[in-house]
Amino acid sequence: MPRRIFLAAILAGAAALGVYWWLTAPPTAWAATGPAYTPNVANGLTTFNAGGCSSCHAVPGQPDRLRLGGGLAIPSPFGTFYAPNISPDPVDGIGRWTEAEFVNAVTKGISPTGFHYFPAFPYTSYQHARVEDVRDLFAYLKTLPVVLGKVRDHDVPFPFNVRRNIGIWKLLFMDGKPFMPDAARSSQWNRGAYLVNSFGHCAECHSPRNLLGGIIANKRLAGGPNPEGEGWVPNITQKGLSEWSAKDIAYFLETGEMPEGDNDGGAMARVIKNTSQLNPEDRAAIAEYLKSLPPVEGPPRPKKAAKSGDKS
């Protein structure tokens, strides 16, 4: 009897390991099909600005937003992440990556060698992007300066540093669905919805998260604690923007100036450096979409955070 129990335990353990390995496997990789693709580098630049790539990947402490050597520290409740080098350098950057490897990294969060990227990289939003836009972005990145230097490893403690576990996190918080236009809405509204929910990844900062670090779906864009650990990120549904007009929002995305005349700071100042490079039509589209959102009550704001001011 003890021997049977022992064998049953071994079989159960092996089965559990097999299920774990299956659940945590990287998603099916994307591969190009059909005729050769001719990238649109100009659209790649638009995608670069909409995605705010330089906000995280530009080398800190220098003025050139196109030197994408990485190194920015991104604190979180799970540890500190460091934005990688995504310049065309073949050793320290993405110079040896194929187009398919880049698409899979951006939309599925998997590396060229097949491991999961941490979701500090906002692929939970980028998953909704059109593949053509990602391919164009890759073509644009290859035109930028090579930056030497490998970024240090992330400072993430156990068990959060076990990348295999991210496979389960993806099952919980990623649906893999592309953006679907709403036929009942205008083309401008759909453009704004696409930018906000894919490359703009606005929900990644402007939404509260649960204990596992996933966005709380029914509080999406309703603000919450700053994921970088200081201050409060504002509600950008009509609960928070009811007194802003669409023109106010578009002007803010261009200049960083709020309707009352103040300028935003913190992480949002980095975002404005990118949105200010978009064409006026795209900023107007984002504004139209945000103004259409119903009011959503965000999480209760601690008194201490209320005194410290918004960090948007």
Side-chain angles (χ1 to χ4, degrees), residues 107-212:
T107 63
K108 296 178 181 291
I110 53 177
S111 78
T113 54
F115 63 75
H116 295 291
Y117 283 123
F118 291 110
F121 179 22
Y123 50 76
T124 44
S125 290
Y126 295 162
Q127 67 174 323
H128 304 302
R130 289 187 288 265
V131 170
E132 293 78 13
D133 287 340
V134 183
R135 298 171 90 172
D136 292 346
L137 173 61
F138 183 58
Y140 173 72
L141 291 177
K142 289 192 292 185
T143 71
L144 298 182
V146 167
V147 181
L148 304 179
K150 185 173 178 60
V151 173
R152 57 162 293 175
D153 291 337
H154 302 306
D155 185 11
V156 180
F158 181 83
F160 307 119
N161 63 343
V162 180
R163 290 181 184 266
R164 191 83 192 185
N165 292 337
I166 298 170
I168 295 176
W169 191 94
K170 288 179 177 179
L171 289 175
L172 294 172
F173 303 113
M174 291 183 69
D175 59 22
K177 296 178 180 178
F179 171 77
M180 297 299 294
D182 185 344
R185 297 282 191 167
S186 69
S187 59
Q188 179 169 276
W189 183 95
N190 276 295
R191 175 64 174 171
Y194 174 70
L195 291 173
V196 166
N197 293 305
S198 63
F199 278 108
H201 62 279
C202 304
E204 301 294 334
C205 284
H206 287 276
S207 305
R209 294 178 179 269
N210 58 31
L211 292 177
L212 295 177

Side-chain angles (χ1 to χ4, degrees), residues 253-276:
L253 294 173
E254 180 183 6
T255 66
E257 185 175 324
M258 294 182 279
E260 62 269 24
D262 292 335
N263 285 317
D264 208 311
M268 194 65 198
R270 299 199 303 268
V271 175
I272 298 298
K273 289 181 180 179
N274 298 293
T275 57
S276 65

Side-chain angles (χ1 to χ4, degrees), residues 211-236:
L211 292 177
L212 295 177
I215 289 174
I216 299 173
N218 64 356
K219 300 287 186 183
R220 187 176 177 85
L221 299 176
N226 183 359
E228 296 185 2
E230 180 183 348
W232 197 263
V233 180
N235 188 321
I236 57 172

